[in-house]
């Protein structure tokens, strides 16, 4: 389940008999000058060790036993999935109700560890304010891809392909968040010429779809990503503001790289 969808349940989660929730915010951003050599490994180990030492000193055997179990689970999760690391990892874990929420995020966080009666959500609340539900549109010659994001995570992907016989945009099934954005252009020079001549009209129809999605799906921000000509043409047809345009062809990169260019 997407982290944005879990937030409501996490806000309501609370232990009735003392501290039982481990909240982990771990910065793994390799672009950070302090992360060039995998320093997150040391911070993860030391942060969890420090909390375990506090519990040992408190002589609360039940909490110590629970914490040690969760610590091992968290360390195994992160160390075993290093290939998935992006800019941060956020984890909420508890023996109560088997709470286990893990998210590898494209947004940076400040490394911190918490052992409390409830999940510590301050950083996520701030991130949701800064990175609300948004639409990222990648216009191409005969395809337009739309990524819906919340908290920097992809919630949905929609692909519209242009049918030269009918002059309409047709929706086709999207792809996974980790898939590459691949161009499907296999058209002829004659088709290219027809599309270029009618670009404004074709994109006007697509602009209407985007405007409806923005309203129906409550997007608070809209981004365009692609080569200058299709981005500029589509933006000129939109009757809603564009928050940011990235004039770069990202059709053959992982979607995580698209998010990186948009949110950096």
């Amino acid at each position: 389940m997407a982290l944005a969808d879990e937030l409501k349940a996490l806000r309501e989660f609370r232990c009735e008999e003392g501290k039982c929730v481990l909240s982990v915010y771990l910065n793994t951003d390799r672009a950070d000058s302090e992360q060039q050599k995998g320093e997150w490994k040391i911070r993860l180990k030391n942060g969890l060790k420090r909390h375990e030492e506090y519990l040992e000193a408190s002589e609360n055997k039940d909490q110590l036993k629970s914490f040690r179990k969760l610590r091992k689970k968290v360390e195994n999760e992160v160390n075993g999935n290093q290939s998935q690391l992006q800019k941060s990892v956020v984890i909420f874990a508890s023996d109560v109700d088997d709470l286990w929420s893990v998210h590898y995020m494209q947004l940076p966080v400040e490394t911190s560890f918490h052992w409390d009666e409830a999940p510590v959500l301050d950083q996520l609340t701030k991130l949701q304010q800064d990175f609300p539900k948004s639409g990222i549109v990648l216009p191409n010659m005969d395809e337009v891809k739309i990524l819906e994001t919340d908290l920097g995570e992809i919630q949905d992907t929609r692909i519209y392909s242009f049918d030269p016989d009918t002059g309409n945009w047709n929706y086709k099934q999207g792809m996974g968040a980790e898939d590459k954005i691949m161009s499907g252009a296999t058209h002829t020079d004659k088709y290219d010429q027809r599309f270029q001549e009618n670009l404004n009209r074709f994109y006007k129809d697509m602009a209407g779809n985007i405007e409806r999605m923005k309203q129906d799906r409550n997007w608070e921000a809209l981004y365009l990503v692609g080569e200058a000509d299709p981005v500029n043409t589509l933006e000129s047809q939109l009757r809603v503001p564009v928050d940011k345009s990235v004039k770069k062809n990202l059709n053959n990169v992982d979607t995580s790289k698209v998010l990186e260019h948009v949110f950096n």
Side-chain angles (χ1 to χ4, degrees):
M1 184 186 297
L3 182 52
D5 296 330
E6 289 186 20
L7 268 177
K8 185 173 186 287
L10 288 170
R11 290 188 176 108
E12 295 174 353
F13 190 98
R14 181 166 294 276
C15 307
E16 299 296 334
E17 299 181 2
K19 298 179 179 180
C20 75
V21 182
L22 176 59
S23 301
V24 175
Y25 291 88
L26 183 64
N27 188 318
T28 57
D29 185 4
R30 291 181 177 85
D32 189 325
S33 60
E34 297 183 356
Q35 296 280 14
Q36 298 298 313
K37 298 181 180 180
E39 286 82 354
W40 62 265
K41 297 179 184 179
I42 299 174
R43 294 191 174 98
L44 175 63
K45 179 180 179 180
N46 290 345
L48 293 173
K49 181 181 178 182
R50 191 175 301 115
H51 276 279
E52 185 169 326
E53 291 172 346
Y54 291 155
L55 286 172
E56 287 174 343
S58 72
E59 298 184 350
N60 189 318
K61 294 182 179 180
D62 290 338
Q63 286 195 29
L64 179 60
K65 180 180 178 180
S66 177
F67 182 89
R68 282 175 171 167
K69 177 182 175 182
L70 296 172
R71 173 185 175 177
K72 183 177 180 180
K73 191 174 181 180
V74 166
E75 289 179 326
N76 288 341
E77 169 69 31
V78 179
N79 291 324
N81 291 281
Q82 295 185 36
S83 62
Q84 295 187 41
L85 297 180
Q86 300 178 48
K87 290 185 180 297
S88 64
V89 184
V90 176
I91 300 176
F92 302 101
S94 177
D95 281 342
V96 176
D97 295 334
D98 295 322
L99 173 63
W100 181 245
S101 174
V102 182
H103 295 272
Y104 297 88
M105 300 181 63
Q106 188 57 52
L107 301 175
V109 299
E110 181 180 344
T111 297
S112 64
F113 305 87
H114 310 270
W115 179 248
D116 219 322
E117 292 89 353
V120 176
L121 303 172
D122 53 345
Q123 290 200 56
L124 286 186
T125 300
K126 180 65 165 56
L127 285 174
Q128 193 167 49
Q129 293 171 351
D130 294 341
F131 300 93
K133 197 171 187 180
S134 307
I136 302 174
V137 182
L138 297 96
N140 197 16
M141 280 296 295
D142 63 346
E143 279 192 349
V144 173
K145 301 178 182 69
I146 302 176
L147 311 178
E148 183 172 278
T149 71
D150 200 353
L151 265 171
E153 290 186 327
I154 293 178
Q155 308 290 303
D156 188 22
T157 301
R158 303 179 73 85
I159 303 175
Y160 292 87
S161 60
F162 181 75
D163 185 342
D165 296 325
T166 64
N168 295 324
W169 292 95
N170 298 320
Y171 169 71
K172 62 181 183 180
Q173 187 172 355
M175 53 198 174
E178 63 281 344
D179 291 337
K180 290 184 177 180
I181 306 272
M182 301 296 291
S183 171
T186 57
H187 38 262
T188 64
D189 291 341
K190 182 178 180 181
Y191 170 50
D192 283 345
Q193 181 180 357
R194 178 189 172 192
F195 193 95
Q196 289 285 4
E197 291 172 351
N198 294 278
L199 194 61
N200 286 333
R201 179 169 65 84
F202 294 158
Y203 274 178
K204 183 176 182 180
D205 294 338
M206 179 49 58
N209 287 338
I210 295 169
E211 291 162 6
R212 285 189 292 274
M213 289 185 69
K214 186 176 189 299
Q215 179 177 356
D216 295 343
R217 293 170 173 254
N218 299 312
W219 293 348
E220 295 186 40
L222 177 63
Y223 306 96
L224 301 183
V225 179
E227 294 182 347
D229 285 348
V231 165
N232 291 337
T233 302
L234 180 58
E235 186 169 4
S236 70
Q237 298 298 324
L238 287 166
R239 295 172 296 177
V240 293
V242 174
D243 294 83
K244 181 180 179 180
S245 294
V246 179
K247 307 290 180 63
K248 190 171 185 178
N249 186 344
L250 299 178
N251 283 327
N252 296 319
V253 303
D254 292 339
T255 53
S256 62
K257 294 296 183 183
V258 176
L259 299 183
E260 184 176 338
H261 279 83
V262 168
F263 293 130
N264 276 356

